Amino acid sequence: MGLQPLEFSDCYLDSPWFRERVRAHEAELEKTNKFIKELLKDGKNLIAATKNLSAAQRKFAHSLRDFKFEFIGDAETDDERYIDASLHEFSNFLKNLEEQREILAISVTETLIKPLEKFRKEQLGAVKEEKKKFDKETEKNYSLLEKHLNLSAKKKELQLQEADNQVEQNRKHFYELSLEYVCKLQEIQERKKFECVEPMLSFFQGLFTFYHQGYELAKDFNHYKTALQINIQNTRNRFEGTRSEVEELMNKIRRNPQEHKRANHFTMEGYLYVQEKRPAPFGSSWVKHYCMYRKETKKFSMIPFEHRSGGKLGDAELFVLAYCTKRNADTIDRRFCFDLEASDRPGVPVTMQAFSEEDRKLWMEALDGKEACSTLFIVSFVGAQLDKIGFAIIKKCISAVETRGINDQGLYRVVGVSSKVQRLLSLLMDSKTCNEVDLENSVDWEVKTITSAMKQYLRSLPEPLMTYELHGEFIVPAKSGSPESRVNAVHFLVHKLPEKNKEMLEILVKHLANVSKHAKKNLMTVANLGVVFGPTLMRPQEETVAAIMDLKFQNIVVEILIENHEKIFKTLPDASFPEPISMSVSPPNAPPRQSRRQGQRIKRPLAVYNLCLELDDADSHSSPREDTPTGSMDSLSSQSPTPAFSSSPLGLLDENHLIMDSGDLAGWTTNLPAQSRPSMVSWMNIPSANPAASDAALPNFIFPSPAPGTDRAVESVAHRKARAVYPCEAEHSSELSFQIGAIFEDVQFSREPGWLEGTLDGKRGLIPQNYVQFL
């Protein structure tokens, strides 16, 4: 479990748990700050101290290995997991390079030191300044509030009003500062991953050029670098989308905090001052408590909490409410007071003081006080529905898009003019004019207007297509499990949808699959379409920061739908498939199994979001290939934790990133578990003069067939033996089931990426490549 999201609505409650979460975020940023300071120190030593280079590298590697980024929410995407694991991989590189003891003289300052110093000073430094302001304003707010609450009710009305206004203005200023501080904390938590890792990635790229074997090392490092670059690009783009959503939510709550209170089982909660009577002549004291009330059970609980005492919680007190009475000003020397009486203590009222008259009214209403009143809000929705008109609108729009604009660049990402979109939508939703609108032949309606109207219609439905009820269940498999188990889980859940929802979803997903087939021209890969339609098809019922953090997993679900639409919508799910609580079918601690689909080529898009690239086939020339439509190409986030690479040159070109040649990108496996996968450098440094020795040094790593023209030859593994290091249950008749320690005979590479062929107990079949160790 990572850091808890900081909800903007909690800024107004300022509860003890909110303060605990804020302190956890602050502690994590302080840990990051210390880590960066240590990293900078080590980097400078690396430049200045040639004689101590080996020691500096060991220290640097140690810092990288022991540090792990915390994340917000309850799960990471595959991209984020590989970014986190990259620090450990970098550490392994350095420990192997220590033997070289070559001089690292240039480029470290520009590629590593300056960016990290800039991030630490500009980003982490800014958070420290915000923390000082926040702490200062907290002290000022509650001090002024206590002073104000001690103000006698006998003072002149004008003086009281002026004091009220002053407190209210100060409180608003405190809430404004609190919202901004919470937003900044979460922004820096998301930003730190790519801001810290990207300079290190650049540093490692330059590092190899200074060594005798730098060329060979850098060439092999391209595999990892390319994969990590895509992981970082994915994470960066998701961050940009998440940040805009978070800021929009913050502004909504800022405009009307009462309408965006988080749903929970408490009818009312917040701070109250409780009068504690003392023996004469000491009078009484007022102690601040955090109070919670649940109307269904009439249970009232209160916990003493004082910010200035280090934020420690006192002992909680719980009682069942009997009645609540408003205190008049002439009966007590304080304002905003009311009495509570517990059912087990009749005749012993507890006097409480709210923060304001409005606050007292809210408490009185929740507690069913004598002057409490209730207001009934009736909300009616009239608009988009899954009816005959709705299906006609979607089909009409899809037909127009596929006829006129299937190859338009940025299809569904380019937004139409708002006024035109609304006008078109109003015409389509009117049964009298819907049939008269000609979208396929009329020049009055641009393709971007049609696509925007279609998205707006889907967003206007009273409930998203994939329903609020199943929202959480769809998210679960996207967060864990193997690629195949994710598909099975989504397949199972789609058939739990209401019939109209499933029918509409099938029409839409089939169209999106067709759009992705034209990705070479329209640049809309499966990943891009997932970004566009994830929030449209799977919006959460409650708008919170935690829900926004799940946007990236919604995108993955939509990608799975597009890539597997034929299976999901044309076939029934396995009746024996369990409820999707944990979708992974892999044994505990086993690596994920490569998805195996008949007839699939390795050809796939490396581009995600604003990248749109495609690799040529890397299949062996001797193996037959089947033509597969472009639409079957996988997206990185839903099907494989690391992309399959080709051996042809690749240039990554983006307006914000470098142009990069991938060199030899033959298929490269990175999904081995950390405990069994050897360091990249350990196999990159194998002498090519002794192929047999090279293979012997690779017990847990298997090379694919080398691409033509490569300098290093890798011995074929045909007719070799292998031992199972993980148990496996076959999912198809062509696969083998086995237990740990099973010995396979005559092991060869399969034409299926990530799989081997071998013989066990006289039966020949497929074996997951990363489940075995060669003997």
Side-chain angles (χ1 to χ4, degrees), residues 119 185 608:
F119 174 75
L185 276 177
V608 288

Side-chain angles (χ1 to χ4, degrees), residues 662-674:
S662 69
D664 176 20
L665 294 178
W668 184 67
T669 303
T670 59
N671 57 356
L672 295 177

Side-chain angles (χ1 to χ4, degrees), residues 411-413 455 459 524 527-536 555:
L411 185 65
Y412 285 108
R413 297 203 74 166
K455 289 187 294 182
R459 285 194 292 264
M524 293 304 293
N528 285 340
L529 292 170
V531 172
V532 174
F533 281 91
T536 300
N555 303 346

Side-chain angles (χ1 to χ4, degrees), residues 606-625:
L606 275 180
V608 288
Y609 305 111
N610 58 330
L611 296 175
C612 190
L613 308 169
E614 187 173 288
L615 296 179
D616 294 330
D617 295 306
D619 296 334
S620 171
H621 292 290
S622 60
S623 61
R625 295 181 292 183

Side-chain angles (χ1 to χ4, degrees), residues 26 55 93 112 126 135 138 141 184 199 230 303 346 399 467 487 492 509 529 558 584 697 703 719 744:
E26 291 171 347
F93 276 117
L112 181 69
D135 292 341
T138 299
N141 179 64
K184 187 66 176 177
I230 294 171
I303 304 172
S399 177
T467 72
V487 175
F492 180 84
V509 171
L529 292 170
V558 175
S584 176
F703 281 101
H719 313 297
F744 303 93

Side-chain angles (χ1 to χ4, degrees), residues 465-478:
L465 271 186
M466 299 174 76
T467 72
Y468 293 132
E469 181 182 358
L470 295 177
H471 179 85
E473 294 185 48
F474 274 111
I475 292 294
V476 168

